[in-house]
Amino acid sequence: MEQREWILSVDVGTSSVKATIFNEKAELVREFSSGYPLIQTRQGYVEQDPFKVLEAFHWAIQQVLSGVTDCPKVMVLSTAMHALMAVDEFNQPLTHLVTWADQRAEGMAGRLRSGPEGLSLYEKTGTPIHAMSPLVKLAWFRENESEIYHRTKLWADLKSWILFDLLGEWVVDESIASATGLYNLASRDWDQDALDWCGVSGAQLPRLVKTTDIVGCVKPDLAEKLGLGHDTRIIAGASDGALANLGVGAVNPGSLAISIGTSGAVRGMVNEPKLDPQGRLFCYHVDENHYIVGGPINNGGILVRWLQGILLSGGESSDTFYEQLNLGVAKITPGSDGLFCLPYLTGERAPFWREDVSGSFWGLKLIHTRDHLMRAVLEGICYQLNSVVELLVHLIGPVVEVRATGGFTKSKVWVQILADVIGKPLGTLKHTQGSALGGAFLAWYALGQISSLEECAELIPPARVQAPVQTRVARYQEGYTLFKELVNLGEKAYLKLQEFAQKGASQ
């Protein structure tokens, strides 16, 4: 193997860009984050300003390279999935970037999901039918924004927008493409049935490239602006979800990655496409020999922050907040004295794929305190993640280990709750930049500087392993059974609650 190079790995997400530098030992040397606001002009609309994203992308790279004497000569990209943006004949955006969290295509998704065509498209693409999917967003634009729809020369996404900025060419990696609902896992090309359903041609989509392709060098003028060498090579990279598995070393059979940030996800790596018969889990491309299977949940840290805003005095730093979280929640016994939270404040993806579900607390009594509410929220999020784990076990086999990443790992009590609910040891890393480190691993693999993606597990052993407490495991198994019963009971109420809220809003 060649000596591994230093890698500039840039993770472009829903609300920020994280630029990181990793050395040849997979150690995080430098990092810098630059944020941008989400745009929510109407109920259910969640967008990004594409130019604000580029500004943050440029600034993060400039800052992370500031003062670096030996600049990395390789850049790799990780981006969030499911974004969509219309582009005109002059390569200018006609719309904002419509993010994964945008719900405007909810009705379109519901109609497709309720018929046989929805499952048929899932079986070809591995993308569950949901409002997040560019497939249904495209159909929404056709029906609701016909002027934009007909003016659009190309339908781009977050990754292809960044690559166009760097290269001047519209390309997208197969990992991001496979999360659009438009990519055929078997043929590794745009799926004609999906294109026909939403009325888009393959010529209106970026050119597909492999995740390990060196797609070119940064444009000279931009390289100079960013502080990069003119010979800086760009590796296409993959989606943030796929790279998170590499970045925590969850690449072998029986190893799962769980991430909790604003939202959450459970993912496993397999060597061939694996599809859930009922379309409840995703299956996305990583490379020709690796696929990521699993499911995302909508409500992770966003739900904790919502409750924090209601219950705490405000003004706390992130570290202070996690200190309070650890101290307060640790006082409450597992099961929160009979209080349950169904954590669906922003609808839910896996395993329901329902935009219309809503959150609730069950069993609330006068004995319950602020700390009970917070613990019930953490337990509810962990129960929901466990429902995805349960499906994955049926699909790809038993779980041997779980590796975790994301901001939640700052909370010892939350990590312990998740270990107890899953009933498996939970390994965490020294840092929370799982997707960025996964990008570095993919870059080394593309350059021939590691022999296989499986080598990631050896290069990044967990810094700490939290073992489940068996008495709590038994308690949470009972709690999880009751949690599922409460979900079924709530099923009858969701649509009625939604209808009631809509009537009130119209008065």
Side-chain angles (χ1 to χ4, degrees):
M1 291 290 107
E2 299 179 39
Q3 173 68 32
R4 288 195 289 270
E5 298 195 42
W6 284 36
I7 303 294
L8 171 60
S9 183
V10 188
D11 181 24
V12 187
T14 307
S15 57
S16 68
V17 176
K18 301 179 185 72
T20 57
I21 297 175
F22 290 92
N23 66 17
E24 75 281 358
K25 297 179 182 178
E27 296 169 335
L28 180 63
V29 176
R30 290 175 68 95
E31 63 178 314
F32 188 86
S33 180
S34 181
Y36 32 80
L38 288 171
I39 302 168
Q40 297 176 275
T41 56
R42 294 171 59 182
Q43 178 70 27
Y45 285 46
V46 186
E47 302 174 331
Q48 297 166 313
D49 181 331
F51 294 105
K52 293 291 185 185
V53 173
L54 284 188
E55 286 177 16
F57 178 72
H58 294 168
W59 179 246
I61 292 174
Q62 289 169 334
Q63 294 305 303
V64 83
L65 294 177
S66 177
V68 173
T69 55
D70 190 11
C71 180
K73 295 180 174 58
V74 177
M75 180 196 298
V76 65
L77 297 172
S78 162
T79 61
M81 295 174 276
H82 313 302
L84 183 70
M85 180 176 71
V87 177
D88 69 14
E89 59 183 321
F90 304 107
N91 295 316
Q92 292 299 306
L94 291 169
T95 66
H96 285 137
L97 281 157
V98 181
T99 72
W100 66 267
D102 194 279
Q103 298 293 305
R104 73 185 68 181
E106 175 184 341
M108 187 71 65
R111 292 195 294 275
L112 180 58
R113 192 167 49 233
S114 63
E117 195 169 17
L119 186 58
S120 175
L121 289 174
Y122 164 78
E123 290 169 345
K124 296 174 183 178
T125 67
T127 304
I129 306 302
H130 186 265
M132 69 176 188
S133 167
L135 169 73
V136 295
K137 288 172 182 167
L138 285 166
W140 183 92
F141 272 102
R142 181 182 60 194
E143 290 196 4
N144 297 276
E145 296 283 357
S146 60
E147 182 182 351
I148 289 174
Y149 182 82
H150 291 296
R151 284 180 60 198
T152 300
K153 179 184 177 182
L154 182 131
W155 293 97
D157 60 276
L158 186 55
K159 173 68 74 72
S160 60
W161 174 240
I162 295 293
L163 286 172
F164 180 77
D165 177 61
L166 293 170
L167 302 169
E169 182 185 2
W170 292 105
V171 295
V172 66
D173 70 76
E174 291 180 87
S175 177
I176 288 291
S178 74
T180 61
L182 302 166
Y183 173 92
N184 188 295
L185 288 171
S187 68
R188 292 182 57 189
D189 200 354
W190 300 117
D191 182 79
Q192 192 58 52
D193 288 340
L195 296 177
D196 290 344
W197 184 82
C198 63
V200 170
S201 71
Q204 290 179 282
L205 299 173
R207 178 171 64 86
L208 292 167
V209 296
K210 295 180 181 179
T211 58
T212 51
D213 277 352
I214 299 172
V215 290
C217 293
V218 183
K219 293 181 297 186
D221 58 335
L222 183 57
E224 189 158 341
K225 173 184 175 181
L226 298 179
L228 292 165
H230 289 189
D231 58 348
T232 303
R233 292 167 290 173
I234 303 169
I235 294 173
S239 69
D240 53 1
L243 292 176
N245 268 63
L246 301 184
V248 298
V251 292
N252 293 311
S255 180
L256 296 182
I258 293 183
S259 60
I260 307 177
T262 301
S263 55
V266 185
R267 300 172 303 270
M269 194 85 82
V270 292
N271 299 124
E272 60 182 5
K274 296 276 188 181
L275 297 170
D276 175 63
Q278 297 179 44
R280 295 168 295 180
L281 298 173
F282 60 64
C283 179
Y284 297 149
H285 180 95
V286 180
D287 71 2
E288 54 267 35
N289 298 311
H290 298 89
Y291 297 81
I292 200 87
V293 292
I297 67 169
N298 277 1
N299 302 276
I302 191 172
L303 181 53
V304 175
R305 288 296 180 184
W306 165 80
L307 193 60
Q308 176 201 11
I310 292 175
L311 299 179
L312 302 185
S313 58
E316 296 90 350
S317 70
S318 176
D319 290 340
T320 301
F321 169 58
Y322 278 107
E323 287 172 11
Q324 291 181 327
L325 183 66
N326 288 329
L327 290 171
V329 172
K331 298 175 187 176
I332 309 302
T333 58
S336 302
D337 292 322
L339 181 63
F340 282 79
C341 172
L342 303 191
Y344 310 134
L345 268 68
T346 61
E348 189 52 284
R349 287 181 288 171
F352 313 138
W353 302 99
R354 291 272 301 275
E355 300 87 355
D356 59 352
V357 296
S358 55
S360 58
F361 284 96
W362 292 69
L364 190 61
K365 294 184 178 180
L366 286 175
I367 63 167
H368 293 128
T369 64
R370 178 185 74 181
D371 294 328
H372 281 93
L373 289 168
M374 187 61 80
R375 185 171 189 114
V377 162
L378 301 186
E379 290 173 343
I381 295 168
C382 293
Y383 284 144
Q384 189 64 24
L385 288 166
N386 194 43
S387 68
V388 181
V389 172
E390 195 172 54
L391 289 179
L392 277 171
V393 168
H394 288 299
L395 186 65
I396 64 175
V399 177
V400 177
E401 67 161 354
V402 180
R403 298 193 178 194
T405 185
F408 93 107
T409 58
K410 296 177 183 178
S411 169
K412 293 180 180 179
V413 70
W414 199 351
V415 170
Q416 184 66 62
I417 289 171
L418 183 58
D420 294 338
V421 169
I422 302 295
K424 299 291 180 183
L426 198 67
T428 56
L429 306 183
K430 290 180 181 179
H431 59 82
T432 60
Q433 304 297 353
S435 295
L437 179 55
F441 285 139
L442 188 70
W444 286 323
Y445 179 57
L447 297 168
Q449 294 172 6
I450 60 174
S451 58
S452 70
L453 293 182
E454 284 72 18
E455 200 172 326
C456 301
E458 302 165 19
L459 290 170
I460 187 70
R464 181 167 59 94
V465 177
Q466 189 68 52
V469 178
Q470 290 307 313
T471 54
R472 294 176 180 173
V473 171
R475 174 66 170 162
Y476 280 129
Q477 286 176 341
E478 183 182 4
Y480 178 58
T481 299
L482 182 51
F483 174 82
K484 290 190 290 185
E485 291 179 9
L486 294 175
V487 170
N488 290 332
L489 287 172
E491 175 80 16
K492 299 176 181 178
Y494 294 134
L495 289 176
K496 291 183 179 179
L497 288 169
Q498 189 177 43
E499 290 172 4
F500 181 77
Q502 288 172 346
K503 286 179 182 178
S506 65
Q507 292 179 354

